Amino acid sequence: MSRLAAGYLGFTTACIAAIVRADESAQVQPHYYTLSISLAPALCQLHPENRQLRICQEGYSIIVQGFWPESQDGRRVRNCSRENPELSPVQERVLEKVMPDDPLRAREWQRHGSCTGMTAQEYFRALMSRANRLRLPSQINKEGRDQVMDRGQLVSDIMKLNTGLPEKGIYLRCNLQEGTPLLTELRVCYKPNGEFTECSSSFKPNCPTTFTVRAVP
C-alpha cells in the first residue's frame, strides 16, 4: 500500500471513529448538568493565551465557562457538533454579560451544548437561566486587593444564598500560581428541570483549606 493510500485510510478510519463517538454521545440522555463559573482574574493570569480575550481586556470578574451535560454514570457528554451556534442578535447581547467572547461560546456549543438535544437558543437560554438565579458572595467579586478565603466558609456562604443547594451540589477548583493556590472555578450541579442536585461522586474538589481569590483589576 502506498504511503498516500495508507494515510488516507488512517484519516478515514479516524473520521469514522469520531462520527461513531459523536453518535454515541448524542444518544446519551443527560442525567444532570454542571454549570461552570470561572473567576476571570485568575483565569487570565494563569493562561496568558487568553489575555487577548474580552474577559481579560475588559476587566470581567466572573464568567460562565460552561454548562455541561452529565450522564448517570459520571461520564461527560461532549463533542457532538462542529457547527457554530445560531443565535439572534438579542440573545448574543444577553449572553455577552456572562460569556463575552464569541470563540468561547462557539466552543461551548460544539463540545457540550449540541449534545443536550436542545437547539442553540434553548441551550443558551437554559444556561442563562441557571447563571442568573445563582447567587454568589460579594467577596469573590471585589476590586482592590487579593484575599485569602476559607473553603468551608465560602461553600457555606454560597449554600445560604441559594436555597436547596446541597453541600455536594457545589465544588471548588483551584490552580497553583508560584506555590499559591488560586480559586479559579466554581461548579454547581442541576437537574434537567433546573433544580439543584448533588454532583457525581467521581467529581472531586481540589482546593486546599484556604486559597487566594484574585481581585478584579
Side-chain angles (χ1 to χ4, degrees):
M1 182 182 294
S2 71
R3 187 177 302 175
L4 177 61
Y8 177 77
L9 178 59
F11 175 77
T12 303
T13 303
C15 287
I16 292 173
I19 292 171
V20 170
R21 286 196 300 271
D23 286 342
E24 289 175 347
S25 294
Q27 293 170 5
V28 177
Q29 181 67 28
H31 184 60
Y32 70 94
Y33 292 85
T34 300
L35 182 71
S36 168
I37 305 291
S38 288
L39 279 67
L43 193 68
C44 296
Q45 183 174 5
L46 290 165
H47 301 282
E49 68 274 13
N50 290 334
R51 291 177 185 170
Q52 298 306 311
L53 297 175
R54 289 180 59 190
I55 60 173
C56 301
Q57 292 287 321
E58 299 179 16
Y60 279 77
S61 57
I62 297 172
I63 63 165
V64 174
Q65 184 75 16
F67 185 52
W68 307 327
E70 315 278 8
S71 66
Q72 191 165 10
D73 60 4
R75 182 167 58 90
R76 183 160 297 154
V77 190
R78 65 178 72 203
N79 298 328
C80 295
S81 174
R82 295 182 180 180
E83 300 296 324
N84 288 328
E86 295 184 3
L87 302 172
S88 70
V90 171
Q91 193 168 20
E92 287 184 344
R93 287 196 297 271
V94 171
L95 270 172
E96 284 181 350
K97 298 177 182 178
V98 295
M99 298 185 78
D101 291 283
D102 288 338
L104 297 184
R105 292 199 298 269
R107 184 178 66 184
E108 179 57 22
W109 168 250
Q110 292 163 358
R111 294 189 66 185
H112 303 294
S114 58
C115 299
T116 62
M118 293 185 272
T119 65
Q121 293 88 346
E122 292 168 338
Y123 170 73
F124 284 107
R125 192 179 302 122
L127 179 154
M128 284 295 301
S129 174
R130 277 62 168 181
N132 285 336
R133 288 190 289 110
L134 184 66
R135 298 290 176 259
L136 298 175
S138 60
Q139 57 264 39
I140 66 172
N141 189 24
K142 282 188 174 181
E143 299 180 7
R145 300 189 318 182
D146 297 348
Q147 54 185 323
V148 176
M149 299 189 66
D150 179 83
R151 181 187 62 205
Q153 185 62 54
L154 178 57
V155 170
S156 177
D157 290 344
I158 294 173
M159 290 172 61
K160 289 177 182 177
L161 290 171
N162 297 274
T163 303
L165 176 61
E167 185 175 1
K168 293 183 179 180
I170 178 172
Y171 60 108
L172 312 179
R173 301 287 296 175
C174 292
N175 284 83
L176 286 177
Q177 171 72 17
E178 297 179 351
T180 300
L182 300 181
L183 179 65
T184 57
E185 186 183 7
L186 303 93
R187 298 180 181 179
V188 182
C189 297
Y190 296 85
K191 296 178 183 178
N193 66 2
E195 296 177 0
F196 294 119
T197 190
E198 292 188 356
C199 305
S200 169
S201 59
S202 63
F203 300 145
K204 304 295 184 183
N206 71 340
C207 289
T209 303
T210 60
F211 45 77
T212 296
V213 176
R214 283 281 182 254
V216 180

